[in-house]
Amino acid sequence: MYRAGLDLGSSYTKGVLVDDGGHIVDHVAVRTGYDFRAASKEVLDRFSEAHEIQYPVLSCGYGREQLDVPFTSHSEIIALAAAVHRVYPERLDIIDIGGQDTKYVRLTETGYVENFRMNRKCAAGTGAFLEEIAFRLGMDPSLFDAMARRSEKDIRLNSYCTVFAVSEIIGLIKNGSPMPDIVRGVYHSIAKRCEELAIPQHTLVFTGGVPDRHPMIVELFSRRWPDIRTPELPQFMAAYGCVLLGEDPGGSQSVAEPELAETTPRCDDCSV
Amino acid sequence: MPRSGSDIAALASVDQLKAVMGAYFTRVKEAAEDPAQRVAWCSSVGPAELLYAMGFEVFFPENHAAMIGASKKAADYIPVTVAHGYSPDICSYLTSDIGAFLTGETPLQRYGFTSLPRPDILVYNTNQCREVKDWFSFYAAHYSVPVIGIHTPLNVEDISEDMITYISRQFRSLIPTLEECAPERFDIDRFRERIALSHDACVLWREVLETARHRPSPLTFFDASIHMGPIVVMRGTTHALEYYRMLKQELDTRVADGVAAVAGERYRLYWEGMPLWFKLSGMAKLFNSLDACVVASTYCNSWIFDDLDPANPFDSSALAYTRLFIVRSDDVKQQVITDHLREYAIDGIIYHDAKTCPRNSNNRYGLQMRIQRQTAVPYLELNGDLNDSRCYSEEQSIIAIETFVNQLAMRK
């Protein structure tokens, strides 16, 4: 029997399948679209092809109660904290950049959530910001990271409002700025918004779909705070944390020690 | 995760509250329709006692605006006011109230009003904000009636004698203009009577709120936000006094019987800032489902004017209405909040950052971090607004609140 953890987010529904030893044996992310139930079914159907799932499944995220199978739901922040603490059992700060939210979480060495903040009601600094800009530019956001790496120029966008940022980008295009410079500027803008959440005091762990798909944002941030780590599956940490929490909302962690490797941010521009 | 199907035990006094408020609105309506009577509009922490002493019926636009918020129609009205040149970033009480007026609607229609009660004069105190003056000035221009007020210093650390003298003189200087339209000339003894009534009602209101020190608490912040109606609009009258005697009795009985406002109360929270009027019952249900009782608040505690003294009505009015939390410096606010944390045995604080009410959003200058450093009580910042529901993200807020209560659970 395997435990399934699902993080039903605004952009993607992420699922992990965990064995009795606490190892992630499968993971998948599908577009949430407008139907949380369909997205969660797609994830669970995929897991069921090769494995028997134990019910209830464990869920978190905006759609945490939008499932057609028995579930136990958790706060995504508590789940995220449980997973990050399991991988890095030390005092640390987390920045999670998702489709709709950017979150900052401060953990003690025992995994207690000492403080947390979420972005204000504003798309800037989230995946929605990147997707809107990609849409307006007629580009595929999955090409952004490779494109930004072709630039060495630090263009700064002054606007954090998505609409104003697009207007500013149109001005840059008119002035002949190459697209790699502009995309790098967009990444700078997101890194800057992360700075507003809190002043890091400890090792900083980046999680969420945006650091997963746009790791250069983390690299740009590491210029300001070099003590950064990124887990192997940054987008799946909250889903994994649900499994760690199990059916106990108080946060009991009922599975064995996992083996999640970490990666350090790549950076071609500085010594980190 | 939240308990499902948890019901909130409503206070029996709610029926009497409805009757008291209904009778109040009827008096205001009849005064507005009777050429022999006079109506004064007053800001919520303005000189109500003086106006009642001079025979006015007194109408409070902030109470009206909160009713608009609770009716969930503010977001329909605000754009109308914005189109008339007011920014959506200023007080959403102002923008929703004026917008409703320009639209020709009022939540008072259920009390038989066809429009707002026509004012004979508008009287404000800027102790809470400058917006009350701007707000009242709109109506003064519309109705061609005087608008007068008291200008209170802001960010006050220590209240000096000079300050009291300055503000006390402003109270006195209102009288000649008031007498030009008041039903009665100013009489110091009638003023003393109103001050005494207000003082006694404020003491009772304080005692009502202090019942929440008991564990489990017999009332929540969300109850208190509703039951504060009489202390806002009827302080200085016997109606408020009688109502709070009855409410206090019900709460004392709850305490004696061990009846909890939140069955299974596990977490005791403090609410800093304005209510989200359009989400009051939703918030009450959410916290109830999390076994969390919001037992105390800056907001409801702000209507305790127990410095009022009939022996010295002008100076004590100046003191009472300047000692108010919103007027004070951050150092004083920190002391007030930390005292409340101790007195009410608070596990966590929620700072409501109201987008359009900077004066009632006390997490904008680092106070929340200073209080946490001093007390180690965790806090949550919630982005929202008093009336403008467009400034509030429901899903994000629910996740934040649930996480916060989880955070407190891990701490216990």
Side-chain angles (χ1 to χ4, degrees):
Chain A
M1 293 285 268
Y2 294 81
R3 301 302 311 243
L6 280 83
D7 174 7
L8 294 95
S10 60
S11 297
Y12 286 89
T13 292
K14 289 79 67 176
V16 295
L17 195 66
V18 179
D19 67 16
D20 289 341
H23 304 99
I24 295 177
V25 296
D26 197 3
H27 64 278
V28 60
V30 301
R31 274 277 181 190
T32 299
Y34 62 89
D35 191 341
F36 283 112
R37 293 175 193 277
S40 60
K41 183 174 185 306
E42 187 179 343
V43 170
L44 293 172
D45 284 351
R46 147 93 177 251
F47 289 160
S48 301
E49 285 171 10
H51 301 91
E52 190 177 352
I53 299 172
Q54 182 180 335
Y55 290 96
V57 299
L58 295 316
S59 67
C60 70
Y62 282 106
R64 61 196 176 283
E65 296 183 349
Q66 304 291 309
L67 292 98
D68 287 327
V69 298
F71 65 89
T72 298
S73 66
H74 292 288
S75 154
E76 67 201 59
I77 296 172
I78 300 296
L80 175 69
V84 171
H85 177 67
R86 182 59 68 94
V87 180
Y88 309 107
E90 59 196 88
R91 190 169 182 81
L92 48 78
D93 298 329
I94 306 168
I95 289 179
D96 182 272
I97 313 176
Q100 193 79 16
D101 301 317
T102 303
K103 308 179 191 78
Y104 151 79
V105 186
R106 175 158 293 161
L107 292 186
T108 66
E109 46 280 292
T110 59
Y112 166 63
V113 175
E114 190 172 78
N115 203 355
F116 72 94
R117 294 181 80 178
M118 297 169 80
N119 59 309
R120 299 169 70 83
K121 191 186 172 192
C122 173
T126 69
F129 180 66
L130 283 170
E131 290 191 355
E132 173 65 16
I133 284 173
F135 174 74
R136 296 290 294 269
L137 296 176
M139 290 178 61
D140 179 351
S142 69
L143 304 176
F144 271 10
D145 199 76
M147 186 174 283
R149 289 178 192 283
R150 298 213 302 269
S151 168
E152 293 183 352
K153 201 166 175 182
D154 283 341
I155 287 181
R156 300 298 168 114
L157 297 177
N158 291 316
S159 314
Y160 56 71
C161 164
T162 308
V163 174
F164 287 178
V166 170
S167 301
E168 203 175 341
I169 287 168
I170 290 167
L172 291 169
I173 292 169
K174 278 200 308 189
N175 290 332
S177 294
M179 197 51 71
D181 292 353
I182 293 173
V183 173
R184 189 180 162 100
V186 170
Y187 277 6
H188 263 301
S189 169
I190 291 180
K192 200 74 188 161
R193 289 290 282 185
C194 292
E195 280 186 57
E196 288 183 5
L197 288 169
I199 301 164
Q201 292 181 3
H202 315 99
T203 296
L204 183 59
V205 177
F206 270 88
T207 62
V210 171
D212 198 10
R213 291 157 200 266
H214 308 272
M216 194 173 177
I217 292 171
V218 180
E219 293 163 29
L220 291 172
F221 194 93
S222 69
R223 291 180 177 185
R224 304 174 184 105
W225 187 258
D227 185 9
I228 285 180
R229 297 182 201 176
T230 309
E232 187 180 8
L233 297 172
Q235 192 177 12
F236 295 86
M237 293 303 277
Y240 179 54
C242 286
V243 177
L244 296 177
L245 292 171
E247 285 155 49
D248 177 6
S252 80
Q253 299 177 6
S254 55
V255 293
E257 193 72 22
E259 290 175 5
L260 270 187
E262 63 172 274
T263 57
T264 49
R266 299 181 303 273
C267 186
D268 301 326
D269 299 321
C270 63
S271 58
V272 176
Chain B
M1 284 298 101
R3 287 184 286 114
S4 57
S6 46
D7 294 324
I8 300 173
L11 288 159
S13 302
V14 163
D15 290 340
Q16 187 59 27
L17 176 69
K18 285 178 185 164
V20 169
M21 292 301 285
Y24 159 73
F25 286 121
T26 300
R27 288 195 298 276
V28 173
K29 178 174 173 289
E30 287 174 356
E33 292 168 353
D34 179 357
Q37 296 191 62
R38 295 288 181 268
V39 174
W41 289 15
C42 184
S43 58
S44 64
V45 278
E49 299 83 1
L50 185 59
L51 300 174
Y52 277 123
M54 296 179 75
F56 288 101
E57 276 302 337
V58 189
F59 178 72
F60 295 82
E62 283 146 277
N63 172 246
H64 184 250
M67 291 170 76
I68 291 172
S71 74
K72 304 181 195 295
K73 294 193 76 174
D76 295 338
Y77 299 140
I78 292 168
V80 179
T81 312
V82 172
H84 280 73
Y86 291 83
S87 165
D89 294 333
I90 64 165
C91 170
S92 62
Y93 268 1
L94 183 161
T95 51
S96 54
D97 181 74
I98 291 178
F101 177 74
L102 293 170
T103 308
E105 295 179 5
T106 166
L108 295 176
Q109 278 156 346
R110 69 174 182 263
Y111 294 105
F113 287 72
T114 51
S115 183
L116 295 173
R118 189 185 193 287
D120 294 287
I121 192 166
L122 301 102
V123 189
Y124 60 83
N125 188 335
T126 62
N127 47 3
Q128 54 194 326
C129 60
R130 62 160 277 178
E131 274 88 342
V132 287
K133 182 183 178 187
D134 297 280
W135 184 0
F136 284 20
S137 297
F138 170 87
Y139 287 109
H142 177 84
Y143 289 110
S144 299
V145 295
V147 54
I148 57 175
I150 294 158
H151 292 254
T152 300
L154 302 178
N155 208 16
V156 172
E157 186 83 30
D158 298 317
I159 301 172
S160 65
E161 279 187 32
D162 284 351
M163 202 179 286
I164 295 300
T165 304
Y166 167 65
I167 298 164
S168 178
R169 279 184 184 152
Q170 291 191 64
F171 270 83
R172 290 173 193 273
S173 70
L174 299 175
I175 292 170
T177 311
L178 288 172
E179 283 189 328
E180 287 173 19
C181 60
E184 299 165 25
R185 291 188 62 79
F186 175 74
D187 179 281
I188 189 71
D189 290 329
R190 280 201 294 270
F191 188 33
R192 289 183 203 282
E193 284 168 22
R194 296 295 183 165
I195 289 286
L197 285 170
S198 189
H199 169 272
D200 293 351
C202 287
V203 168
L204 271 170
W205 175 239
R206 187 185 67 206
E207 290 172 2
V208 161
L209 297 177
E210 285 176 354
T211 61
R213 292 181 182 180
H214 188 266
R215 191 188 291 264
S217 171
L219 89 163
T220 72
F221 160 65
F222 307 104
D223 297 323
S225 296
I226 299 296
H227 289 269
M228 69 191 286
I231 201 65
V232 176
V233 302
M234 284 176 262
R235 63 180 187 281
T237 74
T238 54
H239 308 293
L241 207 55
E242 289 161 7
Y243 178 70
Y244 289 118
R245 276 196 195 113
M246 194 202 64
L247 177 61
K248 171 75 169 29
Q249 197 166 31
E250 183 182 1
L251 291 167
D252 284 343
T253 304
R254 273 194 169 191
V255 168
D257 295 345
V259 175
V262 170
E265 171 193 303
R266 283 193 68 199
Y267 313 103
R268 296 168 62 83
L269 305 181
Y270 185 84
W271 187 280
E272 210 315 297
M274 299 280 291
L276 295 97
W277 288 113
F278 53 93
K279 278 287 160 198
L280 203 60
S281 93
M283 282 281 172
K285 286 175 187 159
L286 174 63
F287 283 101
N288 185 63
S289 72
L290 295 167
D291 297 335
C293 185
V294 183
V295 296
S297 69
T298 308
Y299 186 66
C300 293
N301 272 284
S302 290
W303 272 267
I304 299 172
F305 302 108
D306 50 3
D307 289 311
L308 292 172
D309 178 4
N312 201 358
F314 286 104
D315 284 359
S316 70
S317 291
L319 175 62
Y321 286 105
T322 304
R323 202 168 178 183
L324 187 62
F325 181 90
I326 196 169
V327 181
R328 311 306 296 279
S329 70
D330 266 18
D331 283 349
V332 175
K333 287 176 177 174
Q334 183 165 345
Q335 186 63 52
V336 170
I337 292 174
T338 52
D339 285 349
H340 283 149
L341 299 184
R342 190 184 63 255
E343 291 158 359
Y344 288 85
I346 299 294
D347 298 309
I349 312 174
I350 292 176
Y351 291 88
H352 172 205
D353 187 326
K355 169 79 172 162
T356 71
C357 191
R359 298 280 318 278
N360 268 311
S361 300
N362 284 299
N363 61 331
R364 297 189 180 183
Y365 295 89
L367 181 63
Q368 74 282 27
M369 291 188 178
R370 292 193 289 276
I371 289 176
Q372 189 181 41
R373 276 199 296 274
Q374 182 187 340
T375 65
V377 175
Y379 69 88
L380 171 71
E381 295 172 80
L382 200 63
N383 290 118
D385 194 55
L386 49 162
N387 265 19
D388 193 342
S389 55
R390 302 168 305 175
C391 302
Y392 171 70
S393 169
E394 173 104 310
E395 278 301 316
Q396 200 184 47
S397 301
I398 290 174
I399 285 175
I401 290 167
E402 287 182 2
T403 302
F404 186 57
V405 174
N406 265 307
Q407 180 188 350
L408 299 179
M410 291 165 77
R411 188 180 160 93
K412 282 212 170 199

